[in-house]
């Protein structure tokens, strides 16, 4: 008999929704894994492990906080975790950050379509911007339904490419450490530990509003909590496997904009063609989530005005997205990570304070 406190369907829904946010052009193309982890050689596995622990902690905190405050409308997680002054600063900053992240994703769509199909970068970016706008106008609940279907498909395809590559090239593992030196110019920071922290804060600064909204929209707390945990386990397993595949092919990885597409093509041409489509779907799913985050920061009394504002957001992201994809990731993503470190510290402080408040004071002896 199914436990009424959670359902497998509910867990799958929220796991898919979490993954969908995380698999934008940076992850699905391989650039995030390459720059934040693989470029540090074998130390990348320790960085991934630390990131896994941090993502589990903050992921559960964010969705459960959203669920516990679902009666508040709207709920601002920045004010909740950071207080009035810092909370308002982050509330203003996040709209700009997520808007720019959208531009990176749109640039990734244009780069993928141009690199694999020869479609003009401008045309590819324009198609993605239009699709994202249409997804936003369909409403958040419908968006959750759509992207929860796309996310697991992208992860499954990425895992398949990574596993096949790792198994095929396993004999070269002894040379991986020395070959990884060619990737060192791609590093996001001087040390792998800092890089791991930057990746963690990048995801939770940009995705915090979305993650808490998952909690707000959940009917059952355990659905969204277990869904987040399952999504994190699957995502981190995918990162570790793809990281292994990149280490085993370090030399060509250093010069590619879409490295995982190269691995898929190396396995077989039909697989490469199929993955290019999966990659576009992954970009769409993550970019659609970011579109909602940006637009939710601004409320207009008339629906028509809200729609026009959303169209303006999509248009602005499109124009910025015409800049080079790889360069946008290497410069912008680490900067967002540094901006989010203070937020993570404040979340930890808030959690510890709440724990102290719930702990009963010891009774005095008679």
């Amino acid at each position: 008999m199914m436990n009424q406190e959670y359902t497998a369907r509910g867990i799958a829904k929220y796991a898919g929704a979490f993954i969908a946010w995380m698999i934008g052009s940076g992850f699905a193309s391989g650039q995030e894994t390459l720059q934040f982890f693989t470029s540090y050689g074998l130390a990348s596995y320790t960085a991934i492990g630390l990131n896994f622990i941090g993502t589990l902690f903050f992921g559960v905190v964010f969705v459960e906080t959203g669920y516990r405050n679902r009666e508040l409308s709207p709920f601002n997680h920045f004010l909740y975790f950071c207080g009035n002054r810092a909370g308002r600063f982050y509330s203003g900053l996040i709209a700009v950050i997520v808007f720019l992240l959208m531009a990176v994703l749109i640039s990734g769509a244009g780069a993928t379509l141009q690199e694999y199909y020869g479609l003009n970068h401008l045309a590819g970016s324009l198609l993605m911007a239009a699709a994202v706008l249409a997804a936003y106008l369909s409403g958040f609940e419908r968006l959750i339904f759509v992207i929860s279907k796309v996310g697991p498909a992208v992860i499954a395809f990425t895992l398949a490419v990574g596993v096949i590559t790792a198994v095929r090239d396993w004999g070269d593992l002894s040379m991986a450490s020395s070959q990884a030196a060619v990737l060192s110019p791609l590093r996001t920071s001087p040390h792998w530990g800092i890089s791991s922290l930057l990746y963690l804060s990048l995801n939770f600064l940009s995705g915090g509003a979305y993650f808490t909204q998952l909690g707000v929209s959940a009917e059952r707390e355990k659905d969204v909590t277990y869904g987040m945990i399952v999504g994190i386990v699957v995502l981190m397993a995918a990162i570790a496997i793809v990281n292994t595949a990149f280490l085993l092919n370090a030399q060509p990885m250093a010069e590619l904009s879409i490295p995982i597409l190269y691995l898929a093509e190396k396995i077989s041409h039909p697989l490469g063609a199929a993955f290019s489509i999966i990659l576009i779907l992954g970009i769409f799913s993550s970019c659609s989530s970011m579109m909602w985050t940006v637009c939710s920061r601004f409320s207009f009394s008339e629906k028509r005005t809200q729609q026009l504002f959303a169209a303006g957001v999509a248009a602005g992201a499109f124009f910025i997205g015409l800049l080079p994809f790889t360069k946008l990731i290497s410069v912008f993503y680490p900067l967002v990570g540094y901006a989010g470190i203070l937020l993570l510290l404040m979340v930890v402080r808030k959690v510890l304070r709440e724990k102290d408040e719930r702990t009963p004071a010891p009774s005095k002896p008679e």
Side-chain angles (χ1 to χ4, degrees):
M1 182 175 175
M2 176 64 70
N3 187 331
Q4 296 302 312
E5 292 183 336
Y6 64 90
T7 65
R9 184 176 182 179
I11 292 171
K13 172 184 175 180
Y14 290 108
F18 166 76
I19 291 171
W21 173 275
M22 301 290 288
I23 57 167
S25 57
F27 172 79
S29 68
Q31 280 295 329
E32 282 183 10
T33 301
L34 195 63
Q35 294 186 27
F36 283 92
F37 299 113
T38 314
S39 58
Y40 297 91
L42 295 180
S44 59
Y45 292 105
T46 307
I48 292 171
L50 289 176
N51 204 268
F52 172 61
I53 295 170
T55 305
L56 271 179
F57 173 77
F58 288 106
V60 171
V61 167
F62 273 61
V63 295
E64 289 189 348
T65 297
Y67 183 83
R68 290 195 303 268
N69 293 276
R70 63 192 183 281
E71 302 301 326
L72 301 178
S73 182
F75 173 64
N76 188 319
H77 72 290
F78 288 122
L79 294 178
Y80 178 84
F81 287 120
C82 305
N84 188 58
R85 184 175 299 178
R88 292 189 181 280
F89 168 76
Y90 273 121
S91 294
L93 179 64
I94 192 60
V96 177
I97 288 176
V98 176
F99 169 72
L100 292 174
L101 288 174
M102 272 184 63
V104 176
L105 299 179
I106 289 173
S107 178
T112 301
L113 291 171
Q114 182 179 45
E115 185 170 303
Y116 202 84
Y117 294 100
L119 183 67
N120 182 274
H121 186 277
L122 185 149
S125 296
L126 181 61
L127 286 173
M128 180 57 64
V132 167
L133 177 60
Y136 170 77
L137 296 177
S138 72
F140 184 73
E141 286 300 325
R142 186 177 302 177
L143 174 61
I144 288 291
F145 177 79
V146 172
I147 64 178
S148 67
K149 306 298 181 183
V150 174
V154 179
I155 286 291
F157 211 101
T158 303
L159 280 169
V161 172
V163 168
I164 293 172
T165 301
V167 171
R168 183 194 59 200
D169 300 334
W170 191 255
D172 299 329
L173 184 62
S174 60
M175 303 173 60
S177 181
S178 58
Q179 289 182 348
V182 72
L183 300 174
S184 59
L186 301 177
R187 293 175 178 175
T188 58
S189 67
H191 191 271
W192 57 264
I194 299 175
S195 185
S196 181
L197 176 61
L198 291 179
Y199 189 67
L200 184 68
S201 67
L202 161 68
N203 288 325
F204 283 97
L205 175 56
S206 62
Y210 178 74
F211 299 149
T212 53
Q213 182 61 29
L214 290 181
V216 169
S217 65
E219 294 182 4
R220 289 172 291 269
E221 183 176 16
K222 288 188 177 181
D223 275 2
V224 71
T225 298
Y226 293 165
M228 175 65 77
I229 293 171
V230 170
I232 291 169
V233 170
V234 172
L235 178 75
M236 289 301 165
I239 290 176
I241 291 171
V242 170
N243 180 67
T244 301
F246 285 170
L247 282 174
L248 295 170
N249 293 270
Q251 198 69 40
M253 296 296 101
E255 302 175 2
L256 297 170
S257 297
I258 318 287
I260 201 162
L261 184 57
Y262 165 84
L263 295 181
E265 178 73 15
K266 189 177 177 182
I267 295 170
S268 75
H269 179 71
L271 188 64
F275 187 74
S276 66
I277 298 173
I278 295 294
L279 176 58
I280 292 298
L281 292 176
I283 294 172
F284 165 74
S285 67
S286 190
C287 199
S288 296
S289 303
M290 291 182 177
M291 179 71 169
W292 176 86
T293 299
V294 173
C295 293
S296 68
R297 292 289 156 188
F298 302 88
S299 179
F300 300 93
S301 57
E302 296 185 6
K303 183 178 180 181
R304 180 66 175 172
T305 305
Q306 189 76 39
Q307 292 173 338
L308 289 174
F309 176 76
V313 170
F318 160 70
F319 284 112
I320 297 175
L322 296 178
L323 296 172
F325 171 59
T326 306
K327 190 68 174 177
L328 283 172
I329 287 184
S330 64
V331 173
F332 184 61
Y333 276 28
L335 288 178
V336 176
Y338 281 111
I341 291 176
L342 178 61
L343 170 64
L344 297 187
L345 293 175
M346 289 183 171
V347 171
V348 172
R349 183 188 65 177
K350 181 72 172 180
V351 171
L352 293 177
R353 283 183 174 178
E354 289 181 341
K355 182 179 179 181
D356 288 341
E357 291 172 359
R358 290 193 300 265
T359 303
S363 58
K364 294 182 180 180
E366 295 292 337

